[in-house]
Amino acid sequence: EVQLEESGGGLVQPGGSLRLSCAASGFNFGSTDMAWVRRPPGKGLEWLSVITSTGFTEYGHSVRGRFTISRDTARNMLYLQMNNLKLEDTGVYFCVEYRGVTGSQYHNLPGQGTLVTVSS
């Protein structure tokens, strides 16, 4: 059974930083492309970033240059470093197995997500 447990969310002021973590188990994490998606309040899922099993990364336009995805295969961990946070970054963040670059491609997310609130 795929298990993904996100952590690291919280309340932060605009311009601040947070680092999200995701503990993965129940599948071959090292050979799986992974991604982060988020759900802003009252909106659908938005794809943010992908990191492949070989370390290639890509980002959505709304977070490119501010967020950095990384992974520690030895520890089965996925990370998202978020800098220069904006009010519109508020939402629940999920780590997922990569399915594509649109939010509509993600369903039945296994994790509970971690809430990020950007507010002054």
Side-chain angles (χ1 to χ4, degrees):
E1 179 186 4
V2 173
Q3 292 189 334
L4 296 167
E5 184 175 355
E6 303 89 348
S7 62
L11 174 63
V12 62
Q13 292 185 338
S17 298
L18 280 175
R19 188 193 194 207
L20 306 184
S21 299
C22 173
S25 62
F27 64 105
N28 190 338
F29 177 79
S31 63
T32 301
D33 298 343
M34 298 295 296
W36 286 94
V37 299
R38 69 185 177 194
R39 181 180 288 124
K43 298 182 179 180
L45 287 171
E46 176 188 7
W47 172 80
L48 301 176
S49 181
V50 60
I51 183 166
T52 68
S53 60
T54 58
F56 172 81
T57 61
E58 186 53 271
Y59 299 89
H61 69 89
S62 64
V63 303
R64 190 174 296 134
R66 300 187 298 123
F67 290 12
T68 302
I69 191 172
S70 62
R71 66 193 299 165
D72 184 338
T73 299
R75 298 183 178 182
N76 279 12
M77 294 293 295
L78 182 72
Y79 303 101
L80 187 68
Q81 176 67 42
M82 306 187 297
N83 298 328
N84 190 21
L85 283 161
K86 303 177 180 181
L87 297 176
E88 53 265 39
D89 293 319
T90 294
V92 181
Y93 285 67
F94 301 88
C95 66
V96 294
E97 295 177 75
Y98 177 69
R99 300 175 190 172
V101 299
T102 58
S104 61
Q105 293 173 284
Y106 296 88
H107 307 281
N108 299 320
L109 304 184
Q112 296 298 311
T114 186
L115 176 63
V116 172
T117 303
V118 184
S119 175
S120 55

mmCIF file of all heavy atoms in Angstrom, residues 31-82:
data_model
loop_
_atom_site.group_PDB
_atom_site.id
_atom_site.type_symbol
_atom_site.label_atom_id
_atom_site.label_comp_id
_atom_site.label_asym_id
_atom_site.label_seq_id
_atom_site.Cartn_x
_atom_site.Cartn_y
_atom_site.Cartn_z
ATOM 1 N N SER A 31 12.628 4.395 -7.729
ATOM 2 C CA SER A 31 12.412 4.282 -9.171
ATOM 3 C C SER A 31 11.149 5.005 -9.625
ATOM 4 O O SER A 31 10.726 4.854 -10.771
ATOM 5 C CB SER A 31 12.330 2.814 -9.579
ATOM 6 O OG SER A 31 11.220 2.191 -8.973
ATOM 7 N N THR A 32 10.575 5.800 -8.727
ATOM 8 C CA THR A 32 9.307 6.469 -9.010
ATOM 9 C C THR A 32 9.503 7.970 -9.166
ATOM 10 O O THR A 32 10.156 8.597 -8.323
ATOM 11 C CB THR A 32 8.301 6.214 -7.875
ATOM 12 O OG1 THR A 32 8.100 4.791 -7.745
ATOM 13 C CG2 THR A 32 6.967 6.878 -8.165
ATOM 14 N N ASP A 33 8.957 8.521 -10.243
ATOM 15 C CA ASP A 33 8.940 9.966 -10.391
ATOM 16 C C ASP A 33 7.931 10.533 -9.399
ATOM 17 O O ASP A 33 6.799 10.041 -9.306
ATOM 18 C CB ASP A 33 8.538 10.356 -11.815
ATOM 19 C CG ASP A 33 9.517 9.852 -12.868
ATOM 20 O OD1 ASP A 33 10.653 9.492 -12.506
ATOM 21 O OD2 ASP A 33 9.138 9.824 -14.055
ATOM 22 N N MET A 34 8.335 11.588 -8.700
ATOM 23 C CA MET A 34 7.493 12.155 -7.649
ATOM 24 C C MET A 34 7.173 13.615 -7.927
ATOM 25 O O MET A 34 7.905 14.300 -8.649
ATOM 26 C CB MET A 34 8.191 12.035 -6.292
ATOM 27 C CG MET A 34 8.470 10.614 -5.838
ATOM 28 S SD MET A 34 6.965 9.662 -5.538
ATOM 29 C CE MET A 34 6.246 10.567 -4.166
ATOM 30 N N ALA A 35 6.121 14.088 -7.338
ATOM 31 C CA ALA A 35 5.682 15.465 -7.587
ATOM 32 C C ALA A 35 5.045 16.064 -6.339
ATOM 33 O O ALA A 35 4.700 15.343 -5.393
ATOM 34 C CB ALA A 35 4.689 15.494 -8.741
ATOM 35 N N TRP A 36 4.886 17.360 -6.375
ATOM 36 C CA TRP A 36 4.106 18.095 -5.385
ATOM 37 C C TRP A 36 2.934 18.771 -6.107
ATOM 38 O O TRP A 36 3.104 19.328 -7.202
ATOM 39 C CB TRP A 36 4.934 19.160 -4.686
ATOM 40 C CG TRP A 36 5.925 18.637 -3.696
ATOM 41 C CD1 TRP A 36 7.238 18.357 -3.920
ATOM 42 C CD2 TRP A 36 5.684 18.333 -2.320
ATOM 43 N NE1 TRP A 36 7.830 17.889 -2.768
ATOM 44 C CE2 TRP A 36 6.896 17.867 -1.762
ATOM 45 C CE3 TRP A 36 4.562 18.408 -1.479
ATOM 46 C CZ2 TRP A 36 7.019 17.480 -0.417
ATOM 47 C CZ3 TRP A 36 4.684 18.031 -0.158
ATOM 48 C CH2 TRP A 36 5.897 17.567 0.369
ATOM 49 N N VAL A 37 1.785 18.703 -5.475
ATOM 50 C CA VAL A 37 0.611 19.434 -5.949
ATOM 51 C C VAL A 37 0.031 20.179 -4.747
ATOM 52 O O VAL A 37 0.360 19.865 -3.607
ATOM 53 C CB VAL A 37 -0.447 18.496 -6.564
ATOM 54 C CG1 VAL A 37 0.113 17.758 -7.769
ATOM 55 C CG2 VAL A 37 -0.978 17.505 -5.536
ATOM 56 N N ARG A 38 -0.841 21.145 -5.007
ATOM 57 C CA ARG A 38 -1.475 21.848 -3.902
ATOM 58 C C ARG A 38 -2.926 22.157 -4.259
ATOM 59 O O ARG A 38 -3.303 22.196 -5.418
ATOM 60 C CB ARG A 38 -0.759 23.155 -3.566
ATOM 61 C CG ARG A 38 -0.889 24.245 -4.620
ATOM 62 C CD ARG A 38 -0.036 25.450 -4.251
ATOM 63 N NE ARG A 38 -0.091 26.474 -5.300
ATOM 64 C CZ ARG A 38 0.766 27.508 -5.364
ATOM 65 N NH1 ARG A 38 1.722 27.648 -4.451
ATOM 66 N NH2 ARG A 38 0.659 28.378 -6.341
ATOM 67 N N ARG A 39 -3.706 22.364 -3.195
ATOM 68 C CA ARG A 39 -5.095 22.732 -3.365
ATOM 69 C C ARG A 39 -5.323 24.053 -2.657
ATOM 70 O O ARG A 39 -5.403 24.087 -1.418
ATOM 71 C CB ARG A 39 -6.034 21.673 -2.809
ATOM 72 C CG ARG A 39 -7.518 22.040 -2.997
ATOM 73 C CD ARG A 39 -8.437 20.981 -2.437
ATOM 74 N NE ARG A 39 -8.430 19.790 -3.267
ATOM 75 C CZ ARG A 39 -8.139 18.580 -2.801
ATOM 76 N NH1 ARG A 39 -7.837 18.415 -1.528
ATOM 77 N NH2 ARG A 39 -8.162 17.536 -3.613
ATOM 78 N N PRO A 40 -5.412 25.159 -3.404
ATOM 79 C CA PRO A 40 -5.719 26.449 -2.775
ATOM 80 C C PRO A 40 -7.144 26.426 -2.228
ATOM 81 O O PRO A 40 -7.967 25.617 -2.690
ATOM 82 C CB PRO A 40 -5.588 27.451 -3.921
ATOM 83 C CG PRO A 40 -4.770 26.735 -4.966
ATOM 84 C CD PRO A 40 -5.136 25.294 -4.833
ATOM 85 N N PRO A 41 -7.456 27.285 -1.290
ATOM 86 C CA PRO A 41 -8.810 27.297 -0.714
ATOM 87 C C PRO A 41 -9.878 27.491 -1.786
ATOM 88 O O PRO A 41 -9.805 28.439 -2.571
ATOM 89 C CB PRO A 41 -8.766 28.498 0.243
ATOM 90 C CG PRO A 41 -7.340 28.675 0.578
ATOM 91 C CD PRO A 41 -6.574 28.268 -0.645
ATOM 92 N N GLY A 42 -10.826 26.583 -1.838
ATOM 93 C CA GLY A 42 -11.936 26.712 -2.762
ATOM 94 C C GLY A 42 -11.613 26.436 -4.214
ATOM 95 O O GLY A 42 -12.447 26.667 -5.097
ATOM 96 N N LYS A 43 -10.427 25.919 -4.496
ATOM 97 C CA LYS A 43 -10.018 25.671 -5.880
ATOM 98 C C LYS A 43 -9.586 24.224 -6.073
ATOM 99 O O LYS A 43 -9.470 23.459 -5.116
ATOM 100 C CB LYS A 43 -8.877 26.613 -6.270
ATOM 101 C CG LYS A 43 -9.250 28.085 -6.216
ATOM 102 C CD LYS A 43 -8.089 28.947 -6.667
ATOM 103 C CE LYS A 43 -8.449 30.430 -6.637
ATOM 104 N NZ LYS A 43 -7.316 31.288 -7.077
ATOM 105 N N GLY A 44 -9.346 23.852 -7.303
ATOM 106 C CA GLY A 44 -8.887 22.510 -7.619
ATOM 107 C C GLY A 44 -7.389 22.351 -7.444
ATOM 108 O O GLY A 44 -6.671 23.303 -7.136
ATOM 109 N N LEU A 45 -6.922 21.140 -7.638
ATOM 110 C CA LEU A 45 -5.507 20.847 -7.483
ATOM 111 C C LEU A 45 -4.669 21.549 -8.549
ATOM 112 O O LEU A 45 -5.085 21.651 -9.709
ATOM 113 C CB LEU A 45 -5.267 19.343 -7.566
ATOM 114 C CG LEU A 45 -5.714 18.514 -6.369
ATOM 115 C CD1 LEU A 45 -5.616 17.026 -6.690
ATOM 116 C CD2 LEU A 45 -4.912 18.842 -5.129
ATOM 117 N N GLU A 46 -3.500 21.994 -8.133
ATOM 118 C CA GLU A 46 -2.535 22.626 -9.033
ATOM 119 C C GLU A 46 -1.229 21.857 -8.949
ATOM 120 O O GLU A 46 -0.674 21.662 -7.862
ATOM 121 C CB GLU A 46 -2.295 24.089 -8.625
ATOM 122 C CG GLU A 46 -1.240 24.791 -9.451
ATOM 123 C CD GLU A 46 -0.875 26.172 -8.922
ATOM 124 O OE1 GLU A 46 -1.351 26.534 -7.824
ATOM 125 O OE2 GLU A 46 -0.101 26.885 -9.602
ATOM 126 N N TRP A 47 -0.742 21.409 -10.097
ATOM 127 C CA TRP A 47 0.555 20.747 -10.123
ATOM 128 C C TRP A 47 1.650 21.790 -9.942
ATOM 129 O O TRP A 47 1.603 22.857 -10.564
ATOM 130 C CB TRP A 47 0.755 20.003 -11.442
ATOM 131 C CG TRP A 47 2.142 19.474 -11.590
ATOM 132 C CD1 TRP A 47 2.636 18.338 -11.034
ATOM 133 C CD2 TRP A 47 3.212 20.064 -12.328
ATOM 134 N NE1 TRP A 47 3.968 18.187 -11.383
ATOM 135 C CE2 TRP A 47 4.340 19.233 -12.179
ATOM 136 C CE3 TRP A 47 3.337 21.221 -13.090
ATOM 137 C CZ2 TRP A 47 5.565 19.515 -12.766
ATOM 138 C CZ3 TRP A 47 4.556 21.509 -13.679
ATOM 139 C CH2 TRP A 47 5.652 20.658 -13.520
ATOM 140 N N LEU A 48 2.675 21.465 -9.123
ATOM 141 C CA LEU A 48 3.728 22.424 -8.823
ATOM 142 C C LEU A 48 5.089 22.032 -9.375
ATOM 143 O O LEU A 48 5.807 22.864 -9.933
ATOM 144 C CB LEU A 48 3.863 22.608 -7.313
ATOM 145 C CG LEU A 48 2.639 23.081 -6.564
ATOM 146 C CD1 LEU A 48 2.918 23.117 -5.073
ATOM 147 C CD2 LEU A 48 2.185 24.435 -7.080
ATOM 148 N N SER A 49 5.461 20.766 -9.163
ATOM 149 C CA SER A 49 6.820 20.379 -9.491
ATOM 150 C C SER A 49 6.941 18.878 -9.597
ATOM 151 O O SER A 49 6.156 18.136 -8.983
ATOM 152 C CB SER A 49 7.770 20.879 -8.403
ATOM 153 O OG SER A 49 9.108 20.532 -8.693
ATOM 154 N N VAL A 50 7.919 18.421 -10.367
ATOM 155 C CA VAL A 50 8.238 17.003 -10.507
ATOM 156 C C VAL A 50 9.737 16.813 -10.337
ATOM 157 O O VAL A 50 10.525 17.689 -10.699
ATOM 158 C CB VAL A 50 7.774 16.453 -11.872
ATOM 159 C CG1 VAL A 50 8.439 17.185 -13.022
ATOM 160 C CG2 VAL A 50 8.036 14.949 -11.978
ATOM 161 N N ILE A 51 10.089 15.666 -9.777
ATOM 162 C CA ILE A 51 11.477 15.216 -9.779
ATOM 163 C C ILE A 51 11.466 13.752 -10.204
ATOM 164 O O ILE A 51 10.763 12.926 -9.618
ATOM 165 C CB ILE A 51 12.169 15.414 -8.411
ATOM 166 C CG1 ILE A 51 13.642 15.002 -8.500
ATOM 167 C CG2 ILE A 51 11.444 14.678 -7.287
ATOM 168 C CD1 ILE A 51 14.471 15.473 -7.305
ATOM 169 N N THR A 52 12.214 13.451 -11.240
ATOM 170 C CA THR A 52 12.226 12.081 -11.735
ATOM 171 C C THR A 52 13.158 11.218 -10.897
ATOM 172 O O THR A 52 13.897 11.707 -10.033
ATOM 173 C CB THR A 52 12.670 12.037 -13.200
ATOM 174 O OG1 THR A 52 14.066 12.409 -13.269
ATOM 175 C CG2 THR A 52 11.840 12.963 -14.065
ATOM 176 N N SER A 53 13.134 9.935 -11.170
ATOM 177 C CA SER A 53 14.001 9.009 -10.445
ATOM 178 C C SER A 53 15.469 9.298 -10.690
ATOM 179 O O SER A 53 16.323 8.936 -9.881
ATOM 180 C CB SER A 53 13.671 7.570 -10.826
ATOM 181 O OG SER A 53 13.871 7.377 -12.219
ATOM 182 N N THR A 54 15.759 9.966 -11.806
ATOM 183 C CA THR A 54 17.150 10.309 -12.134
ATOM 184 C C THR A 54 17.525 11.711 -11.703
ATOM 185 O O THR A 54 18.653 12.147 -11.944
ATOM 186 C CB THR A 54 17.386 10.158 -13.645
ATOM 187 O OG1 THR A 54 16.469 11.018 -14.342
ATOM 188 C CG2 THR A 54 17.180 8.724 -14.096
ATOM 189 N N GLY A 55 16.594 12.434 -11.091
ATOM 190 C CA GLY A 55 16.901 13.745 -10.554
ATOM 191 C C GLY A 55 16.541 14.929 -11.427
ATOM 192 O O GLY A 55 16.785 16.083 -11.055
ATOM 193 N N PHE A 56 15.939 14.678 -12.576
ATOM 194 C CA PHE A 56 15.486 15.793 -13.413
ATOM 195 C C PHE A 56 14.328 16.498 -12.720
ATOM 196 O O PHE A 56 13.442 15.849 -12.175
ATOM 197 C CB PHE A 56 15.041 15.277 -14.773
ATOM 198 C CG PHE A 56 14.392 16.322 -15.635
ATOM 199 C CD1 PHE A 56 15.149 17.222 -16.361
ATOM 200 C CD2 PHE A 56 13.004 16.417 -15.709
ATOM 201 C CE1 PHE A 56 14.551 18.201 -17.148
ATOM 202 C CE2 PHE A 56 12.384 17.382 -16.489
ATOM 203 C CZ PHE A 56 13.167 18.266 -17.212
ATOM 204 N N THR A 57 14.323 17.819 -12.775
ATOM 205 C CA THR A 57 13.269 18.588 -12.124
ATOM 206 C C THR A 57 12.605 19.549 -13.094
ATOM 207 O O THR A 57 13.215 20.010 -14.060
ATOM 208 C CB THR A 57 13.817 19.394 -10.937
ATOM 209 O OG1 THR A 57 14.815 20.308 -11.406
ATOM 210 C CG2 THR A 57 14.417 18.489 -9.879
ATOM 211 N N GLU A 58 11.346 19.844 -12.821
ATOM 212 C CA GLU A 58 10.609 20.837 -13.588
ATOM 213 C C GLU A 58 9.587 21.465 -12.668
ATOM 214 O O GLU A 58 9.152 20.833 -11.679
ATOM 215 C CB GLU A 58 9.935 20.195 -14.790
ATOM 216 C CG GLU A 58 9.264 21.197 -15.739
ATOM 217 C CD GLU A 58 10.217 22.290 -16.188
ATOM 218 O OE1 GLU A 58 10.286 23.328 -15.484
ATOM 219 O OE2 GLU A 58 10.885 22.136 -17.219
ATOM 220 N N TYR A 59 9.201 22.707 -12.996
ATOM 221 C CA TYR A 59 8.315 23.465 -12.111
ATOM 222 C C TYR A 59 7.203 24.138 -12.891
ATOM 223 O O TYR A 59 7.385 24.517 -14.066
ATOM 224 C CB TYR A 59 9.114 24.541 -11.369
ATOM 225 C CG TYR A 59 10.219 23.980 -10.503
ATOM 226 C CD1 TYR A 59 11.487 23.772 -11.022
ATOM 227 C CD2 TYR A 59 9.972 23.639 -9.175
ATOM 228 C CE1 TYR A 59 12.493 23.227 -10.242
ATOM 229 C CE2 TYR A 59 10.977 23.107 -8.381
ATOM 230 C CZ TYR A 59 12.231 22.905 -8.922
ATOM 231 O OH TYR A 59 13.229 22.367 -8.135
ATOM 232 N N GLY A 60 6.070 24.319 -12.238
ATOM 233 C CA GLY A 60 5.006 25.110 -12.815
ATOM 234 C C GLY A 60 5.395 26.581 -12.797
ATOM 235 O O GLY A 60 6.216 27.017 -11.994
ATOM 236 N N HIS A 61 4.782 27.353 -13.672
ATOM 237 C CA HIS A 61 5.190 28.752 -13.819
ATOM 238 C C HIS A 61 4.958 29.567 -12.562
ATOM 239 O O HIS A 61 5.668 30.537 -12.304
ATOM 240 C CB HIS A 61 4.456 29.389 -15.000
ATOM 241 C CG HIS A 61 2.988 29.564 -14.773
ATOM 242 N ND1 HIS A 61 2.451 30.696 -14.193
ATOM 243 C CD2 HIS A 61 1.934 28.747 -15.038
ATOM 244 C CE1 HIS A 61 1.133 30.558 -14.113
ATOM 245 N NE2 HIS A 61 0.796 29.397 -14.615
ATOM 246 N N SER A 62 3.979 29.184 -11.757
ATOM 247 C CA SER A 62 3.656 29.985 -10.569
ATOM 248 C C SER A 62 4.690 29.852 -9.463
ATOM 249 O O SER A 62 4.741 30.690 -8.552
ATOM 250 C CB SER A 62 2.273 29.596 -10.029
ATOM 251 O OG SER A 62 2.274 28.244 -9.595
ATOM 252 N N VAL A 63 5.529 28.812 -9.523
ATOM 253 C CA VAL A 63 6.501 28.586 -8.440
ATOM 254 C C VAL A 63 7.937 28.530 -8.923
ATOM 255 O O VAL A 63 8.865 28.475 -8.122
ATOM 256 C CB VAL A 63 6.176 27.289 -7.664
ATOM 257 C CG1 VAL A 63 4.764 27.348 -7.111
ATOM 258 C CG2 VAL A 63 6.377 26.047 -8.529
ATOM 259 N N ARG A 64 8.115 28.561 -10.247
ATOM 260 C CA ARG A 64 9.467 28.456 -10.801
ATOM 261 C C ARG A 64 10.322 29.616 -10.303
ATOM 262 O O ARG A 64 9.910 30.767 -10.317
ATOM 263 C CB ARG A 64 9.398 28.466 -12.325
ATOM 264 C CG ARG A 64 10.711 28.115 -13.015
ATOM 265 C CD ARG A 64 10.489 28.002 -14.514
ATOM 266 N NE ARG A 64 9.594 26.899 -14.824
ATOM 267 C CZ ARG A 64 8.578 27.001 -15.686
ATOM 268 N NH1 ARG A 64 8.322 28.153 -16.277
ATOM 269 N NH2 ARG A 64 7.820 25.952 -15.937
ATOM 270 N N GLY A 65 11.528 29.263 -9.831
ATOM 271 C CA GLY A 65 12.441 30.285 -9.317
ATOM 272 C C GLY A 65 12.282 30.554 -7.830
ATOM 273 O O GLY A 65 13.137 31.217 -7.221
ATOM 274 N N ARG A 66 11.206 30.043 -7.240
ATOM 275 C CA ARG A 66 10.981 30.243 -5.796
ATOM 276 C C ARG A 66 10.992 28.925 -5.024
ATOM 277 O O ARG A 66 11.394 28.886 -3.864
ATOM 278 C CB ARG A 66 9.640 30.940 -5.564
ATOM 279 C CG ARG A 66 9.517 32.309 -6.200
ATOM 280 C CD ARG A 66 8.231 33.004 -5.774
ATOM 281 N NE ARG A 66 7.043 32.279 -6.187
ATOM 282 C CZ ARG A 66 6.088 31.849 -5.358
ATOM 283 N NH1 ARG A 66 6.203 32.069 -4.062
ATOM 284 N NH2 ARG A 66 5.028 31.212 -5.826
ATOM 285 N N PHE A 67 10.523 27.862 -5.649
ATOM 286 C CA PHE A 67 10.439 26.550 -4.997
ATOM 287 C C PHE A 67 11.521 25.629 -5.563
ATOM 288 O O PHE A 67 11.873 25.724 -6.739
ATOM 289 C CB PHE A 67 9.079 25.911 -5.239
ATOM 290 C CG PHE A 67 7.927 26.567 -4.527
ATOM 291 C CD1 PHE A 67 8.045 27.806 -3.902
ATOM 292 C CD2 PHE A 67 6.687 25.931 -4.481
ATOM 293 C CE1 PHE A 67 6.966 28.395 -3.250
ATOM 294 C CE2 PHE A 67 5.609 26.509 -3.834
ATOM 295 C CZ PHE A 67 5.747 27.744 -3.225
ATOM 296 N N THR A 68 11.990 24.713 -4.707
ATOM 297 C CA THR A 68 12.965 23.710 -5.131
ATOM 298 C C THR A 68 12.554 22.350 -4.614
ATOM 299 O O THR A 68 12.372 22.170 -3.405
ATOM 300 C CB THR A 68 14.372 24.051 -4.602
ATOM 301 O OG1 THR A 68 14.760 25.340 -5.065
ATOM 302 C CG2 THR A 68 15.387 23.018 -5.087
ATOM 303 N N ILE A 69 12.405 21.412 -5.524
ATOM 304 C CA ILE A 69 12.058 20.039 -5.161
ATOM 305 C C ILE A 69 13.337 19.223 -5.055
ATOM 306 O O ILE A 69 14.283 19.430 -5.812
ATOM 307 C CB ILE A 69 11.090 19.428 -6.194
ATOM 308 C CG1 ILE A 69 10.516 18.104 -5.691
ATOM 309 C CG2 ILE A 69 11.760 19.270 -7.550
ATOM 310 C CD1 ILE A 69 9.399 17.551 -6.584
ATOM 311 N N SER A 70 13.360 18.295 -4.101
ATOM 312 C CA SER A 70 14.517 17.419 -3.956
ATOM 313 C C SER A 70 14.056 16.104 -3.339
ATOM 314 O O SER A 70 12.935 15.998 -2.836
ATOM 315 C CB SER A 70 15.602 18.068 -3.106
ATOM 316 O OG SER A 70 15.133 18.326 -1.793
ATOM 317 N N ARG A 71 14.941 15.137 -3.365
ATOM 318 C CA ARG A 71 14.605 13.830 -2.799
ATOM 319 C C ARG A 71 15.841 13.204 -2.184
ATOM 320 O O ARG A 71 16.962 13.465 -2.610
ATOM 321 C CB ARG A 71 14.011 12.916 -3.872
ATOM 322 C CG ARG A 71 14.976 12.519 -4.977
ATOM 323 C CD ARG A 71 14.236 11.892 -6.161
ATOM 324 N NE ARG A 71 13.522 10.678 -5.771
ATOM 325 C CZ ARG A 71 12.584 10.104 -6.525
ATOM 326 N NH1 ARG A 71 12.227 10.655 -7.678
ATOM 327 N NH2 ARG A 71 11.996 8.992 -6.128
ATOM 328 N N ASP A 72 15.609 12.377 -1.176
ATOM 329 C CA ASP A 72 16.650 11.579 -0.551
ATOM 330 C C ASP A 72 16.200 10.128 -0.704
ATOM 331 O O ASP A 72 15.382 9.634 0.096
ATOM 332 C CB ASP A 72 16.815 11.970 0.914
ATOM 333 C CG ASP A 72 17.949 11.229 1.598
ATOM 334 O OD1 ASP A 72 18.339 10.154 1.109
ATOM 335 O OD2 ASP A 72 18.437 11.727 2.618
ATOM 336 N N THR A 73 16.727 9.471 -1.706
ATOM 337 C CA THR A 73 16.274 8.117 -2.009
ATOM 338 C C THR A 73 16.645 7.141 -0.891
ATOM 339 O O THR A 73 15.896 6.208 -0.593
ATOM 340 C CB THR A 73 16.861 7.662 -3.350
ATOM 341 O OG1 THR A 73 16.403 8.550 -4.380
ATOM 342 C CG2 THR A 73 16.431 6.253 -3.686
ATOM 343 N N ALA A 74 17.774 7.353 -0.254
ATOM 344 C CA ALA A 74 18.205 6.460 0.818
ATOM 345 C C ALA A 74 17.226 6.485 1.995
ATOM 346 O O ALA A 74 17.065 5.490 2.705
ATOM 347 C CB ALA A 74 19.593 6.848 1.294
ATOM 348 N N ARG A 75 16.572 7.616 2.198
ATOM 349 C CA ARG A 75 15.641 7.770 3.326
ATOM 350 C C ARG A 75 14.186 7.751 2.889
ATOM 351 O O ARG A 75 13.290 7.932 3.719
ATOM 352 C CB ARG A 75 15.931 9.072 4.059
ATOM 353 C CG ARG A 75 17.327 9.142 4.661
ATOM 354 C CD ARG A 75 17.548 10.407 5.447
ATOM 355 N NE ARG A 75 18.877 10.444 6.062
ATOM 356 C CZ ARG A 75 19.320 11.428 6.844
ATOM 357 N NH1 ARG A 75 18.535 12.435 7.113
ATOM 358 N NH2 ARG A 75 20.528 11.363 7.354
ATOM 359 N N ASN A 76 13.943 7.546 1.594
ATOM 360 C CA ASN A 76 12.569 7.568 1.065
ATOM 361 C C ASN A 76 11.852 8.868 1.419
ATOM 362 O O ASN A 76 10.699 8.854 1.884
ATOM 363 C CB ASN A 76 11.773 6.371 1.589
ATOM 364 C CG ASN A 76 12.062 5.096 0.815
ATOM 365 O OD1 ASN A 76 13.011 5.039 0.039
ATOM 366 N ND2 ASN A 76 11.264 4.068 1.045
ATOM 367 N N MET A 77 12.545 9.982 1.206
ATOM 368 C CA MET A 77 11.986 11.290 1.544
ATOM 369 C C MET A 77 11.947 12.199 0.336
ATOM 370 O O MET A 77 12.853 12.196 -0.507
ATOM 371 C CB MET A 77 12.816 11.957 2.636
ATOM 372 C CG MET A 77 12.779 11.251 3.986
ATOM 373 S SD MET A 77 11.149 11.316 4.773
ATOM 374 C CE MET A 77 10.982 13.083 5.074
ATOM 375 N N LEU A 78 10.887 12.986 0.254
ATOM 376 C CA LEU A 78 10.719 14.011 -0.768
ATOM 377 C C LEU A 78 10.601 15.348 -0.056
ATOM 378 O O LEU A 78 9.993 15.415 1.020
ATOM 379 C CB LEU A 78 9.469 13.736 -1.596
ATOM 380 C CG LEU A 78 9.168 14.686 -2.750
ATOM 381 C CD1 LEU A 78 10.168 14.454 -3.888
ATOM 382 C CD2 LEU A 78 7.742 14.489 -3.256
ATOM 383 N N TYR A 79 11.163 16.395 -0.668
ATOM 384 C CA TYR A 79 11.149 17.711 -0.034
ATOM 385 C C TYR A 79 10.680 18.780 -1.013
ATOM 386 O O TYR A 79 10.783 18.626 -2.232
ATOM 387 C CB TYR A 79 12.549 18.078 0.458
ATOM 388 C CG TYR A 79 13.140 17.077 1.422
ATOM 389 C CD1 TYR A 79 14.079 16.150 0.996
ATOM 390 C CD2 TYR A 79 12.763 17.060 2.754
ATOM 391 C CE1 TYR A 79 14.625 15.224 1.867
ATOM 392 C CE2 TYR A 79 13.297 16.134 3.644
ATOM 393 C CZ TYR A 79 14.227 15.218 3.191
ATOM 394 O OH TYR A 79 14.753 14.301 4.066
ATOM 395 N N LEU A 80 10.200 19.883 -0.438
ATOM 396 C CA LEU A 80 9.892 21.067 -1.234
ATOM 397 C C LEU A 80 10.329 22.281 -0.429
ATOM 398 O O LEU A 80 9.720 22.597 0.603
ATOM 399 C CB LEU A 80 8.408 21.156 -1.568
ATOM 400 C CG LEU A 80 8.033 22.283 -2.533
ATOM 401 C CD1 LEU A 80 8.614 21.999 -3.920
ATOM 402 C CD2 LEU A 80 6.520 22.461 -2.629
ATOM 403 N N GLN A 81 11.394 22.920 -0.881
ATOM 404 C CA GLN A 81 11.855 24.162 -0.261
ATOM 405 C C GLN A 81 11.110 25.307 -0.929
ATOM 406 O O GLN A 81 11.177 25.465 -2.146
ATOM 407 C CB GLN A 81 13.358 24.330 -0.443
ATOM 408 C CG GLN A 81 13.905 25.635 0.086
ATOM 409 C CD GLN A 81 13.807 25.746 1.600
ATOM 410 O OE1 GLN A 81 14.073 24.785 2.307
ATOM 411 N NE2 GLN A 81 13.407 26.908 2.098
ATOM 412 N N MET A 82 10.425 26.102 -0.121
ATOM 413 C CA MET A 82 9.602 27.186 -0.639
ATOM 414 C C MET A 82 10.142 28.513 -0.111
ATOM 415 O O MET A 82 10.148 28.726 1.110
ATOM 416 C CB MET A 82 8.146 26.997 -0.221
ATOM 417 C CG MET A 82 7.580 25.637 -0.604
ATOM 418 S SD MET A 82 5.816 25.493 -0.282
ATOM 419 C CE MET A 82 5.786 25.676 1.494
#
